[in-house]
Amino acid sequence: MPAETTEETTKQTAERQLGTTTFPLARIKRLIKEDKDISLISTDATFCITYAAELFIEYLVSEALDKAKQEKRKSVFYKDLAKVVKDVEPFEFLEDVIPTTMTLKAAIEKRKQVLNEDTPAKKQKTDPIQEEEEDEDEEENKMEEDTAMEENTEQKELKS
């Protein structure tokens, strides 16, 4: 399927009948209901969310198409989407979902750097449960020492 220009996309949007969407409303409603906090949603709200999703995807793809055209291509590739996510501020929240590609060697090096940076921080931050257990152990040790000292003191008094 040939890539469309922004003008062609705009014409298609203008030609769309009012009150219709490209995405099936039933599927979007099912996706919305996956959220356990939402028990009911009106048809109007579903329509608005569906239309917003269409506009969002249209914007993402048109930006990716611009990146592809800069490289004199008509097809949009993953790397185009990743560049858009990296370069265009409104899409920054997608960096975990659409990361830039890297070689395996670069990924291993990056992981080593992250692990080396986290090592000192891990030593400073300990588990709160472990801290409680250590505090309890220290208290028990103090109590045992106090008991032992008292016994020694009593024994010394008995000997004298």
Side-chain angles (χ1 to χ4, degrees):
M1 185 169 149
E4 299 173 344
T5 64
T6 308
E7 292 172 7
E8 291 172 350
T9 307
T10 308
K11 286 178 186 176
Q12 281 184 349
T13 306
E15 292 173 6
R16 181 186 318 186
Q17 293 179 352
L18 291 177
T20 62
T21 60
T22 306
F23 294 160
L25 288 172
R27 284 216 178 140
I28 302 298
K29 192 168 191 170
R30 190 176 338 132
L31 288 172
I32 294 168
K33 285 189 173 184
E34 286 293 319
D35 186 351
K36 304 228 184 293
D37 295 335
I38 301 173
S39 57
L40 292 173
I41 186 161
S42 71
T43 305
D44 292 341
T46 305
F47 175 80
C48 290
I49 292 170
T50 303
Y51 192 68
E54 289 176 7
L55 293 176
F56 172 78
I57 291 173
E58 184 180 317
Y59 180 44
L60 175 64
V61 172
S62 69
E63 291 291 319
L65 181 61
D66 290 344
K67 296 284 184 190
K69 285 181 179 179
Q70 288 173 359
E71 295 182 9
K72 297 182 171 109
R73 288 185 283 111
K74 292 183 179 180
S75 300
V76 174
F77 295 132
Y78 177 88
K79 64 181 182 178
D80 302 318
L81 291 168
K83 283 180 188 176
V84 168
V85 168
K86 183 180 175 193
D87 297 342
V88 181
E89 188 176 344
F91 298 115
E92 286 179 357
F93 74 97
L94 291 172
E95 284 180 340
D96 292 339
V97 180
I98 307 175
T100 55
T101 57
M102 63 175 66
T103 63
L104 178 61
K105 186 176 180 179
I108 291 171
E109 288 177 18
K110 184 176 180 180
R111 180 162 171 79
K112 284 180 182 177
Q113 288 175 352
V114 169
L115 291 175
N116 288 338
E117 291 173 2
D118 287 347
T119 304
K122 286 182 181 177
K123 289 181 181 176
Q124 292 173 357
K125 296 179 183 178
T126 57
D127 185 17
I129 295 172
Q130 186 179 2
E131 285 180 3
E132 280 182 33
E133 290 174 355
E134 289 173 359
D135 290 343
E136 290 173 2
D137 290 342
E138 286 177 17
E139 287 177 23
E140 287 178 16
N141 290 339
K142 286 180 184 178
M143 288 174 43
E144 289 174 4
E145 289 174 8
D146 290 343
T147 306
M149 290 176 93
E150 288 175 11
E151 289 175 1
N152 285 341
T153 307
E154 288 176 10
Q155 287 177 358
K156 287 182 183 177
E157 289 176 2
L158 290 174
K159 287 182 182 178
S160 15

